[in-house]
């Protein structure tokens, strides 16, 4: 075991008597019942798309949902919802989230930048601090389910989210590749270190359905996600097809028009 540095923010030990993880409190104007992290071991797997669709489908079930976009250097949530209004302040103390057409509350760094294409060139601790402020300084009104769109990997921001927010569970997003077991394993093991349950795995780009014959074609090879889920004791698995309509909805800011029962098992697990 390496020597203790007394820096609990970088330590995964469960047994250390000095380990103190303090969850950040919401402000007095906010109420969030359940926080769900959406994570991936690598980029480019459609994590933001899954975050958005989970929120949209949960909203359609009659729950009040919100998205905290923790992917500070690669934010895409506002564009997917067609939101371009900037975040407003309240009493020079709080930030008000943007609200989508269907009533989903969202907060993203792009709502604070002058131009959405402006790069965020910040070091890890500053990025982590911004994510923490999205939780503490934003007025989240009567949220039943908040989905946190995390950046890929197991770095500063996921660690900050796990340690600072009362995360009730995570959904892991992956793609059908040979490396999926290793990549999913990293995310699952990090969640385990933080005592956060894995509620399910979503395999994006799982297959393509022929529009004529309806045959499912495994473009990236045979899926191994069920085997991977069993390996890590994860009961809920969802598979999203390659569908040009999904990309079109995202590109035109109309993700709230998404329909389908692909994620129903995951939603059931989240609701409990």
């Amino acid at each position: 075991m390496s020597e203790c540095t007394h820096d609990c923010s970088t330590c995964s030990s469960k047994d250390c008597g000095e380990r103190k993880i303090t969850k950040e409190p919401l402000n007095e104007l906010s109420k969030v019942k359940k926080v769900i992290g959406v994570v991936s071991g690598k980029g480019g797997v459609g994590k933001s798309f899954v975050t958005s669709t989970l929120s949209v489908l949960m909203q359609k079930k009659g729950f009040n949902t919100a998205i905290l976009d923790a992917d500070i250097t690669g934010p895409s949530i506002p564009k997917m919802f067609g939101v371009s209004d900037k975040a407003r302040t309240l009493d020079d103390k709080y930030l008000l989230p943007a609200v989508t057409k269907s009533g989903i509350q969202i907060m993203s760094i792009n709502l604070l930048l002058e131009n959405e294409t402006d790069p965020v060139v910040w070091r890890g601790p500053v990025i982590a601090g911004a994510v923490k402020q999205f939780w503490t300084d934003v007025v989240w009104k009567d949220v039943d389910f908040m989905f946190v769109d995390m950046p890929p990997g197991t770095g500063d921001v996921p660690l900050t989210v796990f340690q600072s927010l009362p995360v009730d569970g995570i959904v892991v997003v992956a793609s059908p590749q040979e490396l999926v077991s290793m990549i999913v394993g990293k995310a699952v093991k990090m969640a385990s270190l933080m005592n956060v349950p894995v509620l399910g795995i979503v395999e994006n780009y799982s297959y393509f359905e022929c529009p004529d014959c309806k045959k499912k074609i495994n473009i990236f090879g045979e899926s191994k996600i069920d085997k991977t889920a069993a390996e890590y004791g994860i009961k809920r698995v969802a598979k999203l097809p390659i569908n040009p309509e999904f990309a079109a909805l995202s590109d035109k800011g109309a993700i709230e028009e998404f329909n389908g029962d692909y994620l129903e098992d995951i939603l059931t697990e989240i609701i409990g």
Side-chain angles (χ1 to χ4, degrees), residues 32-245:
V32 177
K33 293 180 181 177
K34 210 165 187 179
V35 179
I36 307 298
V38 182
V39 308
S40 63
K42 65 183 293 295
V45 297
K47 173 180 49 57
S48 295
F49 176 77
V50 172
T51 301
S52 299
T53 52
L54 285 172
S55 182
V56 166
L57 294 173
M58 195 70 87
Q59 189 84 1
K60 289 182 178 182
K61 288 180 177 292
F63 296 101
N64 293 326
T65 67
I67 299 176
L68 190 160
D69 188 355
D71 196 350
I72 301 296
T73 59
S76 57
I77 295 298
K79 180 174 176 57
M80 297 182 79
F81 283 89
V83 172
S84 57
D85 295 338
K86 301 304 177 185
R88 296 179 293 114
T89 59
L90 177 66
D91 298 332
D92 293 324
K93 184 179 180 181
Y94 303 111
L95 280 171
L96 297 175
V99 180
T100 71
K101 293 177 181 178
S102 66
I104 298 171
Q105 301 171 55
I106 64 173
M107 177 51 68
S108 170
I109 195 67
N110 264 10
L111 302 180
L112 302 174
L113 299 175
E114 185 175 349
N115 301 298
E116 67 175 17
T117 55
D118 290 346
V120 177
V121 188
W122 297 346
R123 294 191 182 276
V126 179
I127 293 175
V131 171
K132 196 180 296 185
Q133 284 185 285
F134 281 177
W135 171 254
T136 60
D137 295 359
V138 174
V139 178
W140 300 105
K141 293 185 178 179
D142 298 320
V143 176
D144 295 311
F145 295 97
M146 172 182 283
F147 295 92
V148 182
D149 185 15
M150 296 198 206
T154 55
D156 283 338
V157 171
L159 185 62
T160 295
V161 171
F162 282 131
Q163 292 188 329
S164 302
L165 277 61
V167 181
D168 295 280
I170 66 167
V171 174
V172 181
V173 183
S175 56
Q177 299 169 330
E178 282 290 338
L179 295 175
V180 67
S181 180
M182 180 189 72
I183 293 168
V184 169
K186 289 179 182 293
V188 170
K189 289 176 181 177
M190 182 177 189
S192 176
L193 287 171
M194 298 299 162
N195 295 313
V196 175
V198 180
L199 303 176
I201 302 179
V202 177
E203 183 180 66
N204 200 17
Y205 317 125
S206 183
Y207 58 89
F208 175 75
E209 184 176 286
C210 175
D212 297 322
C213 68
K214 303 303 179 183
K215 179 181 179 181
K216 293 182 179 180
I217 303 168
N218 297 319
I219 292 178
F220 293 105
E222 185 180 353
S223 172
K224 297 176 177 59
I225 201 68
D226 292 312
K227 179 180 178 181
T228 299
E231 180 182 349
Y232 292 104
I234 301 169
K235 297 179 181 179
R236 303 285 188 174
V237 175
K239 298 178 181 180
L240 283 170
I242 298 170
N243 189 330
E245 291 182 7

